[in-house]
Amino acid sequence: MSGANILEVEALHAHYGKSHVLQGVSITVGEAELVTLLGRNGAGKSTTLKSIAGAVVPTGGRVRFQGADVAGLPPHSIAKRGVCLVPEHRGIFKLLTVEENLLLGQRRDSPWQLDDIYRIFPRLKERRRNGGGQLSGGEQQMLAIGRALMNHPRLLILDEPVEGLAPVIVEEIVAQLKTIKAAGVAILLVEQNLEVCVQLADRHYIVEQGVIVHEAGNATFMADHDVKDRYLGVGLA
Ligand SMILES: Nc1ncnc2c1ncn2[C@@H]1O[C@H](COP(=O)(O)OP(=O)(O)OP(=O)(O)O)[C@@H](O)[C@H]1O
Ligand SMILES: [Mg+2]
């Protein structure tokens, strides 16, 4: 949990036009650590992820990845350094097969090649010749994560990976993310399903109106019903 940080976000600001959405977000992610970013709808979670990955250009603050300042770099050069964002809409090419989608992410230097992806996601192997458009929502999510792995991520960023999926599929994806985490990939996770978050995370942040308002280790967070109620409006029994 401690040790070197792979990601250091310091006082990050972002605007959409005149709307000041991120107002000084500061978070860190350690090597091989899984950190969640929680918060209500519209709090700025996706914008934080996009600002780290370069899809939104920050208007202030710093993003340091493996010690280098990457804020404001174009998305492809941030990705090239090993930051892989799997966005909410997943970006699957419907007319390409599962395998073609995976190969789009392929990098020769990645420890994750096709066989590794098929070992973690056996469903993708079964469906390797199917079109991306024929997949269920859960399979599409697995494909999006698999493709990101092919691209050799040092930091995998996931925006609501289990949203709208059936409980049995959610369990499957949680197990797969545990495998990926155990392989040493650092993960920054945005997810509304708190059960999933506490199963996976080492640490949590809560963002509210573009500012981090709370930070806690997983055990502390799980026991703190007051915080969950106050910031997230949920009681986790
Ligand atoms: N492209 C955009 N243009 C203008 N405003 C935007 C844009 N994207 C998001 N916003 C606004 O910025 C704020 C933060 O949005 P963001 O998507 O980061 O929230 P979020 O925490 O991910 O919410 P959710 O839980 O609904 O996914 C919201 O008020 C949202 O309406
Ligand atoms: Mg969002």
Side-chain angles (χ1 to χ4, degrees), residues 46 88 159-160:
S46 296
E88 249 175 305
D159 198 351
E160 305 207 28

Side-chain angles (χ1 to χ4, degrees), residues 77-215:
S77 45
I78 296 179
K80 211 170 160 193
R81 290 165 182 261
V83 177
C84 280
L85 169 64
V86 178
E88 249 175 305
H89 48 81
R90 296 163 191 159
I92 300 305
F93 292 95
K94 294 188 161 56
L95 297 179
L96 299 183
T97 65
V98 165
E99 191 149 307
E100 286 165 342
N101 268 281
L102 286 172
L103 289 172
L104 280 180
Q106 186 176 41
R107 260 168 56 168
R108 294 234 169 75
D109 67 348
S110 179
W112 309 90
Q113 298 295 325
L114 266 187
D115 286 347
D116 306 296
I117 305 304
Y118 288 149
R119 180 173 41 78
I120 301 172
F121 304 102
R123 279 164 186 270
L124 294 184
K125 185 169 190 180
E126 285 166 28
R127 313 215 59 183
R128 64 204 287 180
R129 308 277 171 234
N130 287 112
Q134 299 170 301
L135 300 181
S136 70
E139 289 163 346
Q140 283 183 36
Q141 187 61 53
M142 292 174 197
L143 179 53
I145 297 170
R147 189 175 59 192
L149 289 177
M150 297 277 288
N151 202 25
H152 198 179
R154 272 74 165 189
L155 174 67
L156 189 59
I157 303 182
L158 303 168
D159 198 351
E160 305 207 28
V162 303
E163 190 197 5
L165 302 181
V168 55
I169 302 295
V170 171
E171 282 314 305
E172 211 174 311
I173 291 178
V174 166
Q176 290 155 347
L177 291 177
K178 282 182 181 166
T179 302
I180 294 163
K181 176 183 181 343
V185 180
I187 300 177
L188 177 58
L189 171 69
V190 164
E191 180 48 59
Q192 307 266 9
N193 183 330
L194 280 193
E195 281 288 359
V196 164
C197 291
V198 299
Q199 280 186 66
L200 288 167
D202 298 304
R203 213 151 48 81
H204 307 273
Y205 291 98
I206 300 177
V207 60
E208 198 169 73
Q209 295 180 14
V211 180
I212 300 295
V213 291
H214 189 77
E215 180 198 345

Side-chain angles (χ1 to χ4, degrees), residues 60-81:
R62 298 219 284 196
V63 179
R64 240 181 283 123
F65 183 68
Q66 293 185 313
D69 210 328
V70 300
L73 293 183
H76 64 87
S77 45
I78 296 179
K80 211 170 160 193
R81 290 165 182 261

Side-chain angles (χ1 to χ4, degrees), residues 26-77:
S26 297
I27 64 174
T28 61
V29 178
E31 297 278 358
E33 192 182 25
L34 195 149
V35 171
T36 75
L37 183 62
L38 308 172
R40 295 178 200 265
N41 291 121
K45 304 181 297 294
S46 296
T47 304
T48 301
L49 302 187
K50 288 175 188 166
S51 302
I52 293 167
V56 164
V57 178
T59 47
R62 298 219 284 196
V63 179
R64 240 181 283 123
F65 183 68
Q66 293 185 313
D69 210 328
V70 300
L73 293 183
H76 64 87
S77 45

Side-chain angles (χ1 to χ4, degrees), residues 1-14:
M1 219 152 82
S2 59
N5 289 325
I6 191 163
L7 178 75
E8 292 175 334
V9 174
E10 224 175 277
L12 194 65
H13 289 253

